[in-house]
Amino acid sequence: MTLLPPPLDCHVLAARSVGPFVLGTPLGVVVRTLNQMEAAIPQVECKYDESEPLGNDIVLNLSANGICLRFDPQSQRLKLIELFDFERLTLYYKDVEFNSQKVLPTFDSIYRIFGPIYPGEFDASKKEYTLTYPGIAFVFPIPQQHIPLPNLTDLPLSFPDGTTPVLNRLYVYSGSEFWRDAVAPRPKGYAGPIAIKVIGEGVSFSFNPRSVESHEDTVEITFGAPTQDVLDALGKPQAICARDTDPGALGTAEVTGANDSNNASSHRAMNGGDLEAEDDDGGADDYFWNYFNLGIDILFSGAQHAVKKVVLHANAVGHWDFTQYIKAEFVVEGRGISVDSKWDDIQKAMRPTEEAGPPRPVVHNRGGHQNPFGPTCFYGYPGIIFEVMNKTGCLASVTVFEHEP
């Protein structure tokens, strides 16, 4: 028999958060939080649509804690927090306890704590009454013997026998009047995606990666730029790792550099590594700087310590790196290609003539046993490589490198 953890203490803020879970937080950041809370949150189930991963929510179900977290499938940011097992939770609103093993969350008690509001909505098919405040909704089951309700406009709601409904579900959300239409908030200062303006030259941030509050001019990372320029623009990386130069990593070198999008994340030699120690090493091996919170890796030349390649991660569900990076929202300007583009559309946008077919792919299955979701394919064009999920045609990563037109 599995022992359940003690009830999780959470403060509830309408339109913002429940405990450690804040609306708008990227999926990867939430997963890191869950890893750090393993003793309190022992079970996490991830659900998503395998056939159309961009069409339906990504869900993290914390069954032992009575919490369900829903993420927008495209932005991969937290858009809805659902609480469904109130025996597993102790809840507070403005330091007032409204649910615990000692306090029953009734309609009457919640109405007194949260204050007056317009009458809620009764769903006869589900036998549920929903009381909605801005950014938070409370759902109460209505017993059959009390249907139809004679006093829907009377608040607080009570039954003819003098009892009052008990909370069944709670939703915290933002961006809409109703929880079903919740929209994941953007971070403050978000000004747009990472742009590949000219293939073969570099990438451009339309915001300052070092300050989400900043609206400064765009930040450019160009090929050949020294490490100090990248450090000034992006700050210190979260990790540094050596490039895996084993040609057997993919079994073929037909797409030059195709293995870099894999090596950047799977061979982390120094998590949060020391920059000075790396620069003073004196070796000529190329190395990556990993920026997990930006969804990118930057490959430097070990000899010149200059930018050679940039890998942008789509954090595709089913990929072996899923949740390790925040999704890098990028566009290839002039091509109509974005991080959410499918391979069929990408190859049409990239082909030089109407008759030209797609390039020959390099298939990578990571040894066959490490990824239960099947291989990915790398398709190389001058200055850019697309890593595509075989099953869905979604992008897993894009690698850009220096190329003269």
Side-chain angles (χ1 to χ4, degrees):
M1 180 178 179
T2 303
L3 294 177
L4 292 174
L8 191 65
D9 284 12
C10 294
H11 286 264
V12 176
L13 293 177
R16 175 164 173 78
S17 63
V18 174
F21 308 114
V22 180
L23 295 175
T25 304
L27 176 63
V29 175
V30 174
V31 169
R32 286 176 223 164
T33 299
L34 293 172
N35 287 335
Q36 294 166 1
M37 300 178 65
E38 186 176 1
I41 304 176
Q43 298 173 347
V44 180
E45 182 182 14
C46 181
K47 299 179 180 180
Y48 58 88
D49 190 329
E50 290 188 1
S51 59
E52 289 293 336
L54 298 176
N56 293 289
D57 291 347
I58 301 170
V59 177
L60 295 182
N61 189 30
L62 319 182
S63 56
N65 304 95
I67 301 175
C68 181
L69 307 174
R70 287 187 170 272
F71 297 80
D72 177 85
Q74 296 187 341
S75 71
Q76 294 188 354
R77 295 184 178 275
L78 182 59
K79 76 172 192 178
L80 180 68
I81 305 170
E82 176 187 356
L83 309 183
F84 60 86
D85 187 347
F86 295 95
E87 292 184 358
R88 309 304 317 147
L89 296 162
T90 300
L91 302 176
Y92 302 86
Y93 177 72
K94 294 183 177 180
D95 295 325
V96 177
E97 188 176 293
F98 71 92
N99 174 78
S100 69
Q101 294 179 348
K102 299 178 294 181
V103 179
L104 192 65
T106 65
F107 191 109
D108 181 67
S109 65
I110 286 172
Y111 181 81
R112 283 188 283 104
I113 293 172
F114 285 82
I117 193 66
Y118 294 109
E121 294 184 344
F122 177 64
D123 186 331
S125 63
K126 296 182 179 179
K127 303 176 184 177
E128 292 178 340
Y129 185 94
T130 302
L131 186 66
T132 301
Y133 294 84
I136 190 168
F138 302 89
V139 181
F140 302 87
I142 305 300
Q144 180 64 44
Q145 66 266 28
H146 298 307
I147 299 174
L149 291 175
N151 57 341
L152 279 178
T153 58
D154 295 338
L155 295 179
L157 185 66
S158 60
F159 298 134
D161 60 5
T163 60
T164 183
V166 178
L167 187 64
N168 177 259
R169 294 191 310 283
L170 184 155
Y171 298 96
V172 173
Y173 60 98
S174 67
S176 173
E177 184 178 354
F178 301 104
W179 67 265
R180 292 182 181 84
D181 303 318
V183 177
R186 290 282 188 185
K188 293 181 179 179
Y190 179 81
I194 302 170
I196 303 169
K197 293 184 176 180
V198 179
I199 294 175
E201 291 187 3
V203 299
S204 174
F205 294 85
S206 53
F207 58 96
N208 188 334
R210 302 195 69 174
S211 173
V212 295
E213 303 290 342
S214 174
H215 291 278
E216 297 178 11
D217 293 337
T218 58
V219 173
E220 306 279 348
I221 301 296
T222 57
F223 298 117
T227 54
Q228 187 59 50
D229 284 3
V230 176
L231 193 62
D232 290 342
L234 305 183
K236 187 176 180 178
Q238 279 81 49
I240 305 170
C241 68
R243 178 184 180 182
D244 187 344
T245 55
D246 179 8
L250 278 179
T252 177
E254 291 182 39
V255 179
T256 304
N259 58 336
D260 287 333
S261 63
N262 171 52
N263 295 335
S265 54
S266 62
H267 298 93
R268 298 186 188 93
M270 293 167 285
N271 188 16
D274 182 74
L275 295 180
E276 290 73 22
E278 182 73 358
D279 288 341
D280 293 338
D281 182 62
D285 289 342
D286 294 349
Y287 54 93
F288 283 99
W289 283 7
N290 306 116
Y291 291 91
F292 305 118
N293 288 340
L294 295 175
I296 69 170
D297 300 307
I298 298 178
L299 178 68
F300 291 94
S301 162
Q304 289 82 32
H305 300 288
V307 176
K308 293 179 66 175
K309 298 177 183 179
V310 178
V311 182
L312 303 116
H313 295 269
N315 195 38
V317 292
H319 193 265
W320 41 75
D321 284 337
F322 180 52
T323 75
Q324 294 187 31
Y325 291 84
I326 286 177
K327 181 177 182 177
E329 297 183 39
F330 58 82
V331 295
V332 183
E333 293 190 353
R335 301 278 186 169
I337 297 173
S338 75
V339 64
D340 293 325
S341 296
K342 293 291 192 75
W343 172 237
D344 287 346
D345 296 322
I346 293 171
Q347 58 180 305
K348 291 176 184 176
M350 292 298 299
R351 63 188 179 190
T353 65
E354 288 292 328
E355 296 78 21
R360 184 179 178 184
V362 170
V363 180
H364 183 48
N365 63 6
R366 202 174 173 85
H369 64 282
Q370 297 185 42
N371 178 27
F373 302 98
T376 61
C377 287
F378 292 89
Y379 296 88
Y381 294 89
I384 191 167
I385 297 166
F386 298 95
E387 182 188 8
V388 180
M389 301 290 291
N390 260 17
K391 285 189 175 181
T392 62
C394 294
L395 279 176
S397 71
V398 165
T399 301
V400 289
F401 52 94
E402 189 168 16
H403 172 72
E404 296 182 2

